[in-house]
Amino acid sequence: MSAGLSSIPGFEHLSRIPLYVPGKPIQEVQRELGLTSIVKLASNENPWGPTEAVKARVASVIAGSEFEGLGLYPVSDGYYLRKRIADRKGLTVDRVVLGNGSSEILEMVAKAAFLDGGSAVIPKHSFAIYGIATQTAGGRVIESRATATELDADDILRSVAEDTRLVYLGNPNNPTGIRLERAPLERLVRQLREDIVLVVDQAYAEYEDPAGYPDAAAYLDERPNLLVLHTFSKIHALAAMRIGYGLGSKELMGFLERVRSPFNTNHLAQAAAEVAVQDLAFEAFSRQKNTEARAAFVLEAAKHRCQLSGTSGNFILMETAFPAADLFKELLQRGVIVRPMQGYGLPNHIRVTFGKPEEMQAFWTAAAPLLDGGC
Ligand SMILES: Cc1ncc(COP(=O)(O)O)c(C=O)c1O
């Protein structure tokens, strides 16, 4: 039976694409290890939210009204949320697209771009979905040079092939926590061929100091081939809702609209995000807490002589002198979930999300004896 299915060429192709491995859910660790006290620092969620105002708005949708309620389809294109995003970004509403998480938009653009094959340039050590979205849509991955501490815009440009349709760039990048600064970003934006879509994934942008952050949205009016992505899963603390957005030219949005499935974002998510996108105070608060958590982590890591990469995002990449998979397993036994990075070509690194102070305390209590001889 299964041999039959894998004789379908598309299925055979899919069977060779690595599966995305998510952070382990708390319930799973509870079930498997019988632990009761578990700290999850594995999926770059924001532990400080969502806010009471967001929760109240979700509750009001559940309670239902003439226009809302769980029995009705949501607004298919999320117009009202798109309008709020557009207003905040100083764009017209036809330059905003919503996705079931920004992951879905990464897939939508790949689906549109690789209809006739082609390739995507993706820097080494990038978010796994870029490669998975490319390959499942029938595209080929060209890996450009990057290290745990450096992104290389010029190598992205050099890596472009004749059949390249997309370039993906995480800025800041997950899992390395590094970013391209304004000058190299500008070179990439301006020198990339105009028949290639440049996807700048800014999932962690709101954690950056707005004063120095090179927001790719600044180039939206000059580059119709630019797609800038954001998510509500990170600083807005709505990962469970699955909602993200993309900003781009009207022309590009028109193509994405053709691959977007109707009602791709649900009513609860749209309503929650409408409140969240306007709450600049919560964003600033979360950014501040994140900055504090990073500073404390850097101090503690220094005591164990642990090497850290990157200063961006709500997470940190830590190098260990032994296979990170072992450290991951040991921490799991002690009720602390982090993310081993061997799947990202970083076998001696773990990625740790910044949680609340007590969660970080739990991490160090578990990790310190394991790192006794130094990282
Ligand atoms: C760089 C990056 N982009 C996108 C996403 C996906 O976020 P979403 O929850 O919006 O699908 C993540 C999630 O971890 C991420 O790290």
Side-chain angles (χ1 to χ4, degrees):
M1 183 103 164
S2 59
L5 284 182
S6 57
S7 68
I8 297 174
F11 285 15
E12 197 278 327
H13 170 75
L14 290 177
S15 68
R16 284 184 279 114
I17 301 170
L19 281 176
Y20 180 74
V21 185
K24 246 179 162 358
I26 291 175
Q27 301 89 316
E28 195 174 302
V29 178
Q30 265 174 348
R31 195 175 70 231
E32 288 175 358
L33 300 178
L35 298 171
T36 46
S37 167
I38 295 167
V39 169
K40 184 184 179 211
L41 304 171
S43 300
N44 301 344
E45 294 133 332
N46 178 358
W48 298 101
T51 60
E52 292 308 315
V54 166
K55 290 189 222 170
R57 182 73 184 89
V58 171
S60 81
V61 175
I62 292 171
S65 73
E66 192 183 348
F67 307 113
E68 300 181 333
L70 301 186
L72 300 174
Y73 279 101
V75 177
S76 176
D77 65 355
Y79 175 84
Y80 301 97
L81 172 58
R82 285 165 58 229
K83 179 80 177 84
R84 293 213 171 157
I85 294 167
D87 288 349
R88 177 163 168 193
K89 300 287 175 180
L91 296 169
T92 49
V93 74
D94 52 11
R95 301 184 66 183
V96 182
V97 66
L98 301 181
N100 197 278
S102 53
S103 308
E104 194 197 24
I105 310 176
L106 292 167
E107 291 166 0
M108 278 160 56
V109 67
K111 188 175 173 184
F114 300 123
L115 211 53
D116 66 339
S119 61
V121 176
I122 304 173
K124 195 173 169 67
H125 310 311
S126 288
F127 183 45
I129 300 288
Y130 307 159
I132 293 173
T134 299
Q135 291 175 282
T136 52
R140 179 171 62 89
V141 173
I142 299 175
E143 193 175 77
S144 70
R145 194 192 82 86
T147 67
T149 52
E150 189 200 358
L151 280 163
D152 184 341
D154 300 306
D155 198 65
I156 295 175
L157 287 165
R158 276 193 297 273
S159 301
V160 164
E162 204 175 320
D163 72 348
T164 297
R165 311 264 189 266
L166 284 186
V167 169
Y168 288 105
L169 171 73
N171 210 37
N173 187 53
N174 170 26
T176 48
I178 54 174
R179 71 181 201 196
L180 274 188
E181 295 302 341
R182 198 172 311 278
L185 178 70
E186 199 161 288
R187 274 204 306 286
L188 178 61
V189 169
R190 295 200 167 136
Q191 291 178 21
L192 191 69
R193 270 187 3 230
E194 288 180 24
D195 62 343
I196 297 172
V197 178
L198 173 60
V199 183
V200 183
D201 178 356
Q202 301 193 159
Y204 300 96
E206 295 84 358
Y207 282 107
E208 301 295 279
D209 179 353
Y213 178 64
D215 186 349
Y219 307 97
L220 281 171
D221 285 341
E222 62 174 278
R223 306 305 289 186
N225 59 332
L226 179 61
L227 178 63
V228 179
L229 301 186
H230 287 264
T231 179
F232 286 95
S233 301
K234 306 301 174 185
I235 209 159
H236 300 292
L238 289 172
M241 287 291 185
R242 310 306 304 125
I243 190 153
Y245 61 97
L247 311 172
S249 62
K250 207 173 143 189
E251 186 189 1
L252 179 56
M253 294 297 130
F255 292 117
L256 294 184
E257 191 56 23
R258 288 171 188 275
V259 290
R260 185 182 66 80
S261 64
F263 313 109
N264 64 323
T265 62
N266 73 73
H267 202 149
L268 295 172
Q270 289 177 21
E274 275 176 34
V275 178
V277 76
Q278 302 187 102
D279 194 343
L280 300 184
F282 178 66
E283 258 179 66
F285 167 80
S286 299
R287 188 162 49 241
Q288 178 57 30
K289 288 291 178 196
N290 191 61
T291 304
E292 287 166 18
R294 175 180 299 282
F297 194 99
V298 169
L299 279 181
E300 203 59 38
K303 291 187 198 160
H304 300 280
R305 300 183 300 284
C306 296
Q307 199 67 35
L308 304 173
S309 317
T311 54
S312 290
N314 62 343
F315 56 87
I316 198 147
L317 190 64
M318 184 165 102
E319 192 169 355
T320 55
F322 41 88
D326 296 347
L327 180 57
F328 164 73
K329 279 186 210 137
E330 291 295 333
L331 287 171
L332 206 57
Q333 297 295 332
R334 293 159 175 78
V336 177
I337 317 173
V338 297
R339 202 72 164 263
M341 286 287 126
Q342 67 267 35
Y344 286 77
L346 297 162
N348 282 15
H349 289 78
I350 58 165
R351 193 195 65 197
V352 184
T353 303
F354 297 133
K356 291 186 168 175
E358 58 272 26
E359 295 173 314
M360 302 319 288
Q361 185 55 53
F363 169 81
W364 285 112
T365 302
L370 301 168
L371 303 173
D372 233 2
C375 246

